[in-house]
Amino acid sequence: MRDGAYVQAVSGARFDLAAGECLALVGESGCGKSVLASALLGLLPGNAETAGSAFAGDLDLIAADERTLARTVRGRRVGLIPQSPAAHLMPVRTVRSQLEETVRELTGVRRGPRLRAAAEEAAARAAFPAGHLDRHPHELSGGLAQRAATALALVGDAPLLLADEPTTGLDRDLVERTVDELRRHIGAERALLLITHDLAAAERIADRVAVMYASRIVELADAAAFFGSPGPRHPYARGLLDALPDREFTPIPGMPPELGALPAGCAFAARCDRATATCATRPAFADGVACHHPATVPLEAPRA
């Protein structure tokens, strides 16, 4: 609820994610991606209302109480790599002290050489340089702050890494290095949910892509088919790719609707050149897409 009115920030989101896989959740800012991440971790505001289920193993994250979330979920089942790592890190403490505290909390190693070694091992897993462990967050570059946050997320060996806009504010070289590092942490017992508006980053490492628009997942597809041929099926998803500089570089006309005033029908209809009277009703999600008139023609190949 905001200003006395209900805001439908996320609705009807359905997806699964297996170990060894990266799912990229993409969409414009404000579509509900980060709200979904907060819901999975129980970090929504106190006046938020949730319904449905989200299972991590046999535990429903949506139904879990705060004690369960704090003791068995955050850091242990889900490792969060936050959108603004420099703000997420404690400014008055060194990276080493923050890693050691996380090791104490999640592994039971309490003090002495074992604690120090465990913190240094966590840093090494995230390619964080040992020579920077005794620095404070303000002494780190954006890329190193991201690696410090990743090291903290890896301490508990959580089976799910949730990276919320991990490349925000980084230049292209650092974006590629950051997502390559994230991909390296996916394995036989770990999956990655990458929340991003950076389609190039998603294309680089994702196995599947979920496209979110105005609170709802409107397409779910294999990454190779989504970025290649036949391409996206939802007109909004196709518009996102067409807006890229190496494709048509054509922006989607109009603006997304306010989440507090969503239309009864298709939320994209006002911006869509395929819209008809049928779009006054909300399309069901079927065969990987929520659209009355999904595209079937392959995308043109990206320009050289």
Side-chain angles (χ1 to χ4, degrees):
M1 180 177 290
R2 184 175 64 194
D3 298 329
Y6 281 96
V7 175
Q8 195 171 23
V10 179
S11 60
R14 293 180 176 87
F15 60 87
D16 57 9
L17 182 56
E21 183 181 30
C22 172
L23 174 66
L25 181 61
V26 305
E28 293 169 287
S29 297
C31 69
K33 304 187 302 296
S34 293
V35 174
L36 176 57
S38 295
L40 295 177
L41 288 164
L43 297 175
L44 292 172
N47 62 347
E49 297 181 7
T50 58
S53 58
F55 282 94
D58 58 354
L59 177 65
D60 184 354
L61 304 181
I62 302 299
D65 58 27
E66 173 58 28
R67 180 184 178 89
T68 300
L69 290 165
R71 293 196 172 192
T72 69
V73 174
R74 299 177 194 134
R76 292 178 171 88
R77 296 201 185 201
V78 183
L80 175 64
I81 302 172
Q83 180 171 351
S84 301
H88 182 75
L89 298 167
M90 291 289 293
V92 297
R93 297 177 58 188
T94 65
V95 175
R96 183 189 301 278
S97 70
Q98 294 180 66
L99 278 170
E100 288 182 351
E101 179 183 30
T102 304
V103 169
R104 279 194 296 269
E105 177 66 25
L106 297 182
T107 71
V109 177
R110 295 298 178 188
R111 59 177 64 87
R114 287 183 61 210
L115 178 62
R116 185 181 182 88
E120 292 177 353
E121 180 184 358
R125 289 169 67 188
F128 186 89
H132 290 64
L133 279 169
D134 294 311
R135 295 188 178 186
H136 292 82
H138 73 272
E139 299 176 288
L140 305 177
S141 66
L144 286 180
Q146 187 59 254
R147 291 187 182 193
T150 301
L152 290 167
L154 291 171
V155 168
D157 289 321
L160 173 61
L161 285 180
L162 198 166
D164 185 9
E165 300 283 8
T167 60
T168 298
L170 303 182
D171 62 37
R172 182 48 50 185
D173 286 344
L174 276 177
V175 167
E176 293 180 356
R177 287 166 56 188
T178 296
V179 296
D180 286 349
E181 282 293 326
L182 290 175
R183 181 75 213 189
R184 186 171 64 83
H185 298 303
I186 302 172
E189 297 182 358
R190 179 179 291 126
L192 171 65
L193 177 58
L194 172 66
I195 295 175
T196 185
H197 63 269
D198 188 332
L199 290 173
E203 182 177 11
R204 191 173 180 89
I205 68 166
D207 298 295
R208 289 188 298 148
V209 178
V211 181
M212 199 167 197
Y213 182 76
S215 85
R216 190 182 187 199
I217 292 177
V218 296
E219 183 162 359
L220 183 60
D222 287 338
F226 184 88
F227 290 108
S229 181
R233 298 184 62 210
H234 195 282
Y236 170 67
R238 182 159 290 210
L240 287 179
L241 287 193
D242 285 345
L244 294 177
D246 62 346
R247 296 188 186 248
E248 295 185 12
F249 206 23
T250 304
I252 302 173
M255 296 291 292
E258 291 288 336
L259 297 184
L262 294 175
C266 174
F268 188 62
R271 308 173 71 187
C272 182
D273 59 7
R274 291 173 172 263
T276 67
T278 306
C279 301
T281 61
R282 186 174 185 179
F285 190 92
D287 193 25
V289 65
C291 182
H292 291 298
H293 310 293
T296 56
V297 179
L299 284 171
E300 294 182 3
R303 296 172 183 172

